[in-house]
Amino acid sequence: TPPHWGPRVVKDMPLEMVGEHLSINELYRLSWGAKNAHGEDWKRLRAQFDARLARMRKEAEKEGWLKPQAVYGYWPCQSEGDSLFVYDPNTMGNQEPTVLQRFEFPRQEGGKSYCLADYFAPKASGKMDVVAFQVVTVGPKPTERFESLQEAGEYAEAYYLHGLAVQMAEAAADYLHAHIRRELDLAPERGKRYSWGYPAIPELEDHVKVFELLPAESALGMRLTSAYQLV
């Protein structure tokens, strides 16, 4: 049972709490280039990165150039085959609720032949299920700061800033996902988060449907490119 239907805007996500969801391993090894470091090299790099991260997080809190924000919400839904039907909550009393969006998910060619629609109650069950959608950002300032550093020739600093901003956006998504799971009172093993562009939901064009459900443009200043990537 969701605490509310429809979208909500989260303008203030505490940076310190979001930082607790930061994957240090992904930041250091993927975004900051220590993928192949091992042994003494890894210990040395990790110590340097720990100091750098502490400095950058302190600067971000003081200067406000990392500002995690989000829009998220809950909608009633049901599945049918490979499709997920997302309904208008205001029409739940109707015999046939209004469909706001319909998402199609590809089915596995091997294994158990699952698709994401299988995780929601089917129409034939007569039960109504709940689906959550979310969009997060760390704001426009990291991009502005990155471009300024590039123009000033501070390429290394720009590189580290870009990596931290990317991973903090991912941390914000994980933080909000944890909040959603708490609001829905889910058991620890329940409630997964999927992102468009991966095999389970590859169609980036579906971002248009998500933006129609969530006020990511008006509330957060986000937009989609012609290739449906989030900016």
Side-chain angles (χ1 to χ4, degrees):
T1 303
H4 58 80
W5 291 117
R8 292 291 185 274
V9 179
V10 184
K11 278 291 190 181
D12 186 20
M13 299 170 72
L15 190 61
E16 185 175 354
M17 294 181 69
V18 170
E20 293 176 4
H21 292 256
L22 182 67
S23 172
I24 299 297
N25 198 50
E26 289 191 13
L27 174 65
Y28 290 0
R29 290 198 175 275
L30 296 181
S31 295
W32 283 2
K35 183 179 180 180
N36 298 316
H38 303 286
E40 291 302 316
D41 284 344
W42 167 241
K43 288 181 181 179
R44 176 180 53 80
L45 267 178
R46 173 144 192 157
Q48 292 176 5
F49 285 170
D50 284 345
R52 174 177 285 278
L53 177 60
R55 173 179 64 79
M56 293 181 74
R57 285 180 61 168
K58 189 173 182 180
E59 289 174 356
E61 289 182 19
K62 182 180 179 181
E63 300 170 20
W65 55 265
L66 276 177
K67 189 171 175 55
Q69 303 167 70
V71 286
Y72 80 105
Y74 303 103
W75 281 265
C77 69
Q78 290 175 321
S79 67
E80 188 173 62
D82 298 348
S83 302
L84 182 69
F85 295 90
V86 180
Y87 299 122
D88 182 349
N90 296 319
T91 64
M92 290 308 297
N94 300 352
Q95 188 172 1
E96 288 289 335
T98 301
V99 176
L100 291 177
Q101 299 293 350
R102 176 178 176 171
F103 295 94
E104 300 287 338
F105 301 119
R107 191 164 291 280
Q108 285 178 315
E109 294 180 1
K112 297 183 178 180
S113 296
Y114 283 151
C115 82
L116 287 194
D118 297 334
Y119 289 87
F120 297 91
K123 277 187 174 183
S125 71
K127 297 178 181 178
M128 193 60 65
D129 213 333
V130 178
V131 60
F133 294 97
Q134 65 175 57
V135 177
V136 304
T137 178
V138 287
K141 290 187 178 180
T143 301
E144 297 167 4
R145 195 178 181 94
F146 173 81
E147 291 173 351
S148 296
L149 288 168
Q150 288 272 75
E151 290 173 4
E154 298 285 345
Y155 301 118
E157 197 65 30
Y159 171 81
Y160 289 117
L161 180 141
H162 180 269
L164 178 59
V166 167
Q167 293 299 334
M168 282 297 286
E170 180 65 23
D174 192 63
Y175 169 85
L176 185 58
H177 179 231
H179 173 75
I180 288 170
R181 292 175 68 255
R182 283 193 300 271
E183 285 198 333
L184 293 179
D185 195 26
L186 296 181
E189 71 278 6
R190 292 190 62 197
K192 297 185 181 298
R193 175 171 62 90
Y194 289 86
S195 298
W196 271 271
Y198 293 91
I201 43 174
E203 296 299 329
L204 287 179
E205 193 170 350
D206 281 353
H207 280 153
V208 174
K209 299 178 182 180
V210 177
F211 270 47
E212 288 173 355
L213 292 170
L214 293 170
E217 292 177 281
S218 60
L220 303 181
M222 299 179 71
R223 61 180 176 84
L224 297 175
T225 68
S226 58
Y228 308 108
Q229 297 278 3
L230 279 73
V231 177

